[in-house]
Amino acid sequence: MPVDESNPLKKAAELLQKAKYAIALTGAGISVESGIPAFRGKGGLWESYPVEEYATIDAFIANPRKVWNFFRDLYDTLGSAEPNPAHFALAKLESRGILKSVVTQNIDGLHQKAGSREVIEFHGNASSLRCLNCEMVIPFEECEAMSAEIPVCSCGGLLKPEIVLYGESIPVDSLMDAQDEALLCDLMLVIGTSAQVVPASMLPLIARQRHATIIEMNLGQTWLTEHYADISVFGSVGSTLPEVAHLILGDYIDT
Ligand SMILES: [Zn+2]
């Protein structure tokens, strides 16, 4: 496929096909088309649940009953969400050896649901609960304590979804794995995020310093467009990512 400078989407596909170690960094924008509103956007969860009252570890410990109302609403939103064509496109690119891993800021588990295998989650995943006392991890589906107003572990400790709240640190393993991937990659797709929030913001920087190609795929211009992106593909990622995958894989279908 010849390089087409005038068509960022085709150029993105060509560079991705040539890359030796391509990875993706994803954010809330990839899941909007799955019915999960960006937390900070209009209609996002933070409109109903102010961050400082509901999404900090201190708020949870001070008033678990109140914060569990927020968690239940979060589970309702996540429970009805299905992967969209953008998630499937990434899973297919991985299964065909084009993409090595996905680093995500999302907690919705939709990459795995779409079939992605190498997924590094910066902010945890809502699919399990962890006891703040004994550290036991219980899959959400198997947690009998969910019927209680405040779910507690058999040891009496508070159960909390394994998502990273404000005031909690990013899991060290995820951080190290993501940094390793950013160091290794020669191409990074940045999808549905402006990657301005630490620690995700470090990854394009690390990759860039190692002369990796940065391809941004967002609805419109972001901070990345000016600063780090070699190529910016604008538009709904539910359309653009399957198109990129189709250009590379030919026989690609999005389900
Ligand atoms: Zn416990």
Side-chain angles (χ1 to χ4, degrees):
M1 180 168 23
V3 176
D4 185 346
E5 298 286 346
S6 65
N7 186 329
L9 197 141
K10 279 189 181 163
K11 193 171 180 205
E14 172 169 333
L15 290 170
L16 191 53
Q17 193 166 25
K18 280 189 193 157
K20 293 191 167 54
Y21 201 104
I23 68 167
L25 169 65
T26 68
I30 196 171
S31 293
V32 169
E33 287 168 69
S34 291
I36 301 175
F39 281 27
R40 290 183 182 282
K42 199 166 167 48
L45 277 169
W46 299 153
E47 270 191 351
S48 316
Y49 300 103
V51 169
E52 57 283 3
E53 277 182 61
Y54 289 93
T56 73
I57 186 66
D58 291 345
F60 176 64
I61 290 165
N63 196 340
R65 186 187 309 270
K66 176 177 167 179
V67 174
W68 261 103
N69 288 332
F70 157 61
F71 290 151
R72 286 182 205 284
D73 210 1
L74 181 67
Y75 277 114
D76 282 348
T77 305
L78 298 181
S80 57
E82 292 296 331
N84 67 59
H87 296 102
F88 287 117
L90 289 180
K92 184 61 81 176
L93 286 167
E94 182 187 338
S95 74
R96 299 290 186 87
I98 303 287
L99 194 71
K100 301 300 182 200
S101 65
V102 176
V103 180
T104 187
Q105 299 167 268
N106 300 339
I107 56 163
D108 52 38
L110 292 179
H111 286 300
Q112 294 93 327
K113 216 169 171 182
S116 287
R117 300 169 72 93
E118 295 296 328
V119 182
I120 298 164
E121 294 170 307
F122 258 159
H123 296 148
N125 188 315
S127 66
S128 53
L129 306 168
R130 181 183 289 270
C131 170
L132 292 189
N133 181 43
C134 73
E135 304 267 301
M136 184 159 77
V137 174
I138 306 169
F140 173 73
E141 305 289 341
E142 296 168 22
C143 183
E144 290 170 11
M146 282 301 293
S147 55
E149 204 175 358
I150 304 174
V152 290
C153 175
S154 54
C155 81
L158 281 172
L159 289 172
K160 183 186 84 64
E162 269 207 299
I163 56 178
V164 177
L165 297 179
Y166 289 89
E168 290 187 295
S169 44
I170 303 285
V172 174
D173 288 355
S174 305
L175 200 56
M176 300 301 284
D177 289 349
Q179 284 177 359
D180 287 347
E181 291 296 282
L183 283 168
L184 275 174
C185 76
D186 61 351
L187 186 148
M188 181 183 286
L189 291 171
V190 185
I191 302 162
T193 176
S194 57
Q196 266 184 285
V197 179
V198 174
S201 59
M202 297 182 327
L203 300 181
L205 181 64
I206 292 170
R208 183 80 197 197
Q209 283 170 344
R210 308 275 294 186
H211 307 293
T213 302
I214 311 287
I215 299 176
E216 170 195 27
M217 301 184 76
N218 275 315
L219 255 187
Q221 292 208 358
T222 69
W223 178 83
L224 282 170
T225 316
E226 285 286 313
H227 293 85
Y228 290 129
D230 295 292
I231 299 172
S232 295
V233 177
F234 298 129
S236 141
V237 294
S239 302
T240 55
L241 255 178
E243 272 188 66
V244 167
H246 181 75
L247 285 170
I248 297 169
L249 303 174
D251 60 343
Y252 164 78
I253 47 166
D254 68 0
T255 52

